[in-house]
Amino acid sequence: MGTYPRLPCRTVLVFLFLQVLFYGASVSSYISATNESDIRGSQALYDCDQCHHTKEQDIFLTRVHSSPDEKDIDIIATYSDASGHFQLARLKMRDLSDSWIWENPTNENNEHQTRSQELVESFPTDSRFKDTPKLSIGEKISKENRVKSTHSLSLTPMKIKRRMMRQERRKARAAALLQQDKETENHIVSGAVERSEGFHTTKKGKYSIWRVEYENPNSDSTLKLMRDQIIMAKAYSNIAKSMNKTVLYSVLVKHFKESEQAIGEANSDAELQPGAFDQAKAMGHILSEAKDQLYDCPLVARKLRATLQSMEDNVNVQRKRSAFLIQLAAKTVPRQLHCLPLQLAADYYLQGYHKKGSLDDQKIEDPSLYHYAIFSDNVLATSVVVNSTVQNAKDPEKQVFHIVTDKLNFAAMRMWFLVNPPANATIEVQNIDDFKWLNSSYCSVLRQLESARIKEYYFKANNPSSLSAGSDNLKYRNPKYLSMLNHLRFYLPEVYPKLNKVLFLDDDIVVQKDLTPLWSVDLKGMVNGAVETCKESFHRFDKYLNFSNPLISKNFSPKACGWAFGMNMFDLIEWKKRNITGIYHRWQDMNEDRTLWKLGTLPPGLITFYNLTYPLDRGWHVLGLGYDPALNLTEIENAAVIHYNGNYKPWLNLAVSKYQSYWSRYVMFDNPYIRVCNLS
């Protein structure tokens, strides 16, 4: 549809003046001929005070409708167009829009000003007064609008009342919206004030006083540009060399070496050397010249693909090297931790503690007490487990700790707990070499260690690069998987034949609550009570076991939920009934070639205790502090036991710093042995 120009103000006033004169002349004759009795007869329609003000209007409108030629009244409008010339427009009364309001002509003198204002407001929006053939009245007014106009003239008291009620509702709704907008605005203002109070306006080393999320997101744009330039310069230099363009080749080599020196170890633009930006400009000019002389799309594409392949190979090599170094750092004993057992072992023999007898067996074998099993060669880590458990226990005198270590650390472990006994708790330290029943004829792992295949896998020294051959195999070549301390958890009834229940604890955990309620948990006839670790598709059996092997696929479900070692309640009575150790031996023998699972204790544990594990509440055991820096701190603080499973142990420099305080609070830093070895 076309658009119409708005009429000038003086045109509207001239039209209004002529309209008022014509309106009064055409209607006054009709009103003078109206019979007085008809007016009285219509008064019976108004029987309420609210409808009284519309009385005269309805009388007039009723009579206008009764006139047979009311639609034949001609209206002539005079106005001036955009050029200043006067124009005339003619239309019928029936063609008026609904926005025209007709009042009782008897009140014309009193309401002349109001009616004129209403006509002024309605006229500019009506474009039918334009004397243009393309925009005739018949094209702009539909049949539906004419019917609606006729209907709107026949107002009744009920319709007027409903109209007034609608207007009141609109006013109430508008007031509510205004109030809502005001409340929203106040909320936004208060939120802005609160956020502004939390701004760190004194950040050192920052040019902006705003928060981190408001910093420039392109803070390394120059650095990225220079790195891209180096890649292109190397590609063009190879092309220039192949085309014997020695001068251009020398210039490109010179500039990309200077760019590499300017970048150095920088990770952002702020760390670049002062002349880096100028170097980027110079490199841009050189690359522009090289493009003009050497650019060949297929040739450049081949060079870039070769560069990409070379970089991918380099990344893979670095990833394997990084994995190996992380494993090496995680399993290498720091100097301070190596110092502690040496000092303790020396004093153990020099001060005659080795001549002291063993503890009273009465508490050690009392099944009514709370017994804990800890198998470790780390004195400091074991002391944290014991200290945290005793400090959070309601009855420390009923806590009995059974610690098993190897021959190398037995003297140091026993010396530590002799000179630092926990309050009222009982400590038993044993040497695993004293378990004469644990030999290769009984233990499957020891028997496998004697095979040439296992020795080749673990102790192959003729190929130094074998350690970096596959990052996924590195952690399984860890010496801990060869240690019987790691597999001793499958022989608990043999180690503690007179006990009914034992709570097994790893040495990389911290106890934060009283654990004695675990002894009253009904395991429903199960052998193992543990916290499940499966979340959606993570940590299920198919992650640990080889389901391509029929022995695994026929006996286990790949979607079965995994659980964690670290804090496990074992019912030794049910253990003996179900011959758990025998089940472990059978599956361990079938995995001699490592085709069912890789080395470790969790996969055989999942198999051995399949359908024999009772799921404990997750609040008892929270894992992941040794590898996941994004754990929920509230869950950590509310957990009974937190577990630093992973490479980032809390006693190493690799540890996640925000998790170290949970462990270090139980370290006795005022101990003379700790101070001598500078453990801080």
Side-chain angles (χ1 to χ4, degrees):
M1 294 180 63
T3 58
Y4 301 93
R6 297 181 58 90
L7 297 177
C9 182
R10 63 176 180 272
T11 303
V12 176
L13 294 178
V14 171
F15 167 71
L16 291 177
F17 179 73
L18 294 176
Q19 175 63 22
V20 170
L21 291 179
F22 174 75
Y23 182 84
S26 61
V27 180
S28 60
S29 61
Y30 178 78
I31 292 184
S32 63
T34 304
N35 196 349
E36 186 72 24
S37 60
D38 293 340
I39 298 177
R40 293 195 198 95
S42 64
Q43 289 179 356
L45 296 174
Y46 301 91
D47 54 356
C48 62
D49 296 337
Q50 294 86 342
C51 304
H52 180 69
H53 66 281
T54 62
K55 173 181 178 182
E56 295 179 354
Q57 179 182 354
D58 286 346
I59 293 170
F60 168 72
L61 294 174
T62 304
R63 289 178 179 173
V64 170
H65 279 288
S66 65
S67 178
D69 57 348
E70 62 180 3
K71 302 300 181 182
D72 297 331
I73 299 176
D74 292 335
I75 298 176
I76 300 175
T78 304
Y79 64 97
S80 61
D81 56 13
S83 62
H85 300 289
F86 283 91
Q87 302 289 342
L88 293 177
R90 174 181 293 179
L91 72 159
K92 297 292 185 178
M93 178 180 172
R94 63 172 177 269
D95 295 327
L96 294 179
S97 67
D98 295 343
S99 62
W100 290 69
I101 300 175
W102 296 96
E103 302 263 345
N104 194 331
T106 58
N107 297 332
E108 183 179 358
N109 295 332
N110 297 331
E111 302 178 4
H112 173 73
Q113 183 176 359
T114 304
R115 184 166 62 255
S116 299
Q117 180 64 26
E118 293 171 346
L119 292 173
V120 169
E121 294 175 356
S122 65
F123 183 81
T125 61
D126 197 338
S127 59
R128 292 169 294 185
F129 304 106
K130 183 73 175 176
D131 193 11
T132 306
K134 293 182 180 180
L135 302 172
S136 62
I137 297 173
E139 296 178 31
K140 301 303 176 183
I141 300 180
S142 64
K143 181 179 179 180
E144 182 181 355
N145 289 339
R146 290 198 297 272
V147 173
K148 190 183 297 183
S149 175
T150 304
H151 178 70
S152 63
L153 292 174
S154 58
L155 296 175
T156 63
M158 186 59 65
K159 291 182 179 179
I160 295 174
K161 184 176 181 180
R162 287 200 296 267
R163 179 179 293 177
M164 294 175 61
M165 293 175 65
R166 284 196 297 270
Q167 292 177 354
E168 292 177 358
R169 287 197 297 269
R170 289 192 188 101
K171 291 180 180 179
R173 178 59 178 166
L177 291 175
L178 289 174
Q179 180 65 25
Q180 184 178 357
D181 290 344
K182 187 176 294 185
E183 293 177 357
T184 303
E185 182 179 358
N186 294 336
H187 179 70
I188 293 174
V189 171
S190 61
V193 172
E194 183 178 354
R195 288 194 300 272
S196 64
E197 292 176 353
F199 284 162
H200 298 288
T201 59
T202 58
K203 255 189 175 181
K204 295 182 178 180
K206 300 285 183 181
Y207 291 100
S208 173
I209 65 173
W210 300 98
R211 295 177 298 178
V212 175
E213 54 263 36
Y214 294 111
E215 290 182 354
N216 181 13
N218 298 322
S219 59
D220 58 347
S221 58
T222 304
L223 178 62
K224 290 181 178 179
L225 173 63
M226 295 183 68
R227 287 174 175 170
D228 292 342
Q229 288 177 339
I230 292 173
I231 294 174
M232 293 302 301
K234 290 181 177 180
Y236 281 129
S237 64
N238 290 331
I239 297 174
K241 186 177 181 179
S242 63
M243 295 183 176
N244 294 324
K245 295 183 179 294
T246 56
V247 177
L248 183 58
Y249 170 77
S250 302
V251 173
L252 287 170
V253 172
K254 174 185 175 183
H255 276 79
F256 79 67
K257 287 184 177 180
E258 291 177 353
S259 295
E260 289 176 342
Q261 292 177 357
I263 292 175
E265 301 294 332
N267 294 316
S268 65
D269 290 353
E271 299 176 3
L272 291 173
Q273 297 182 7
F277 188 72
D278 295 334
Q279 177 63 33
K281 287 183 177 180
M283 176 67 86
H285 293 303
I286 297 301
L287 290 176
S288 179
E289 295 179 4
K291 179 180 178 182
D292 294 338
Q293 299 183 31
L294 305 174
Y295 187 75
D296 181 5
C297 187
L299 183 58
V300 173
R302 287 196 299 271
K303 292 295 182 182
L304 291 178
R305 281 196 295 268
T307 302
L308 179 62
Q309 182 64 37
S310 175
M311 294 181 68
E312 288 181 351
D313 294 341
N314 189 29
V315 168
N316 291 332
V317 171
Q318 295 299 328
R319 184 184 293 115
K320 292 179 181 179
R321 184 176 299 175
S322 175
F324 171 72
L325 292 177
I326 289 176
Q327 292 291 333
L328 181 63
K331 308 310 174 185
T332 302
V333 179
R335 182 178 61 84
Q336 293 87 347
L337 288 181
H338 190 62
C339 165
L340 182 62
L342 290 178
Q343 294 288 338
L344 289 169
D347 289 348
Y348 178 75
Y349 291 103
L350 291 176
Q351 298 181 15
Y353 283 94
H354 63 288
K355 298 179 181 180
K356 292 188 176 181
S358 59
L359 299 174
D360 185 9
D361 294 341
Q362 184 176 359
K363 277 190 173 183
I364 294 176
E365 298 179 351
D366 187 354
S368 64
L369 301 179
Y370 306 112
H371 295 267
Y372 304 85
I374 305 172
F375 306 147
S376 173
D377 57 358
N378 190 326
V379 176
L380 184 63
T382 305
S383 69
V384 170
V385 176
V386 174
N387 291 340
S388 61
T389 305
V390 173
Q391 291 182 25
N392 291 284
K394 293 182 179 180
D395 299 315
E397 66 279 359
K398 295 183 179 180
Q399 316 298 314
V400 181
F401 295 90
H402 304 270
I403 301 172
V404 179
T405 186
D406 55 12
K407 184 177 181 180
L408 183 63
N409 293 280
F410 173 73
M413 189 76 73
R414 191 161 186 263
M415 179 65 180
W416 175 267
F417 288 105
L418 285 175
V419 298
N420 303 292
N424 300 323
T426 302
I427 305 293
E428 179 193 26
V429 179
Q430 294 177 284
N431 183 1
I432 191 173
D433 291 335
D434 293 337
F435 300 155
K436 303 304 181 182
W437 50 268
L438 194 63
N439 50 56
S440 59
S441 62
Y442 177 66
C443 178
S444 300
V445 174
L446 290 177
R447 184 168 57 254
Q448 291 173 6
L449 287 177
E450 296 177 354
S451 66
R453 186 183 303 174
I454 295 295
K455 291 180 180 179
E456 175 71 12
Y457 182 77
Y458 275 104
F459 306 108
K460 182 169 57 176
N462 56 352
N463 188 5
S465 62
S466 63
L467 288 177
S468 58
S471 59
D472 56 338
N473 292 327
L474 289 176
K475 68 177 182 177
Y476 298 108
R477 288 175 174 170
N478 194 305
K480 77 173 185 178
Y481 297 113
L482 298 177
S483 172
M484 278 309 301
L485 287 176
N486 203 37
H487 291 266
L488 192 61
R489 63 193 70 187
F490 294 103
Y491 300 94
L492 289 176
E494 286 86 346
V495 181
Y496 312 111
K498 296 184 179 180
L499 300 182
N500 299 330
K501 279 188 175 183
V502 170
L503 183 64
F504 172 78
L505 298 176
D506 268 341
D507 61 358
D508 55 352
I509 63 103
V510 173
V511 179
Q512 300 184 129
K513 293 183 179 179
D514 182 28
L515 299 182
T516 54
L518 285 171
W519 272 262
S520 60
V521 174
D522 185 7
L523 298 182
K524 308 294 183 182
M526 302 297 179
V527 179
N528 175 28
V531 172
E532 293 182 335
T533 57
C534 55
K535 296 178 181 178
E536 297 178 355
S537 61
F538 300 104
H539 296 284
R540 297 189 181 272
F541 271 41
D542 56 356
K543 178 181 178 181
Y544 304 100
L545 304 177
N546 179 19
F547 276 87
S548 63
N549 191 302
L551 287 175
I552 297 296
S553 59
K554 290 180 181 179
N555 292 280
F556 307 100
S557 170
K559 300 302 180 183
C561 189
W563 45 269
F565 276 124
M567 188 210 73
N568 305 81
M569 175 60 70
F570 290 111
D571 187 339
L572 301 185
I573 296 178
E574 288 292 331
W575 185 305
K576 296 173 184 177
K577 288 181 180 179
R578 298 178 181 270
N579 190 21
I580 297 300
T581 304
I583 297 174
Y584 163 72
H585 282 162
R586 182 167 63 89
W587 283 100
Q588 193 71 45
D589 290 338
M590 288 189 292
N591 191 48
E592 185 174 1
D593 55 357
R594 302 186 308 280
T595 58
L596 304 183
W597 69 84
K598 296 180 181 180
L599 296 178
T601 55
L602 182 56
L606 296 176
I607 290 178
T608 302
F609 297 101
Y610 184 65
N611 290 332
L612 295 175
T613 300
Y614 178 81
L616 299 175
D617 186 86
R618 291 184 182 273
W620 283 109
H621 189 188
V622 171
L623 300 100
L625 281 77
Y627 67 88
D628 188 358
L631 293 178
N632 190 323
L633 294 180
T634 302
E635 292 183 0
I636 294 176
E637 293 171 356
N638 294 333
V641 172
I642 56 177
H643 195 170
Y644 292 83
N645 58 312
N647 289 326
Y648 306 141
K649 301 300 183 184
W651 53 83
L652 300 175
N653 292 331
L654 297 173
V656 181
S657 58
K658 64 180 178 180
Y659 301 152
Q660 278 188 307
S661 61
Y662 299 107
W663 183 84
S664 60
R665 69 184 60 170
Y666 295 105
V667 177
M668 303 170 60
F669 289 107
D670 57 344
N671 186 276
Y673 291 102
I674 300 293
R675 291 201 304 267
V676 167
C677 294
N678 295 321
L679 284 166
S680 60

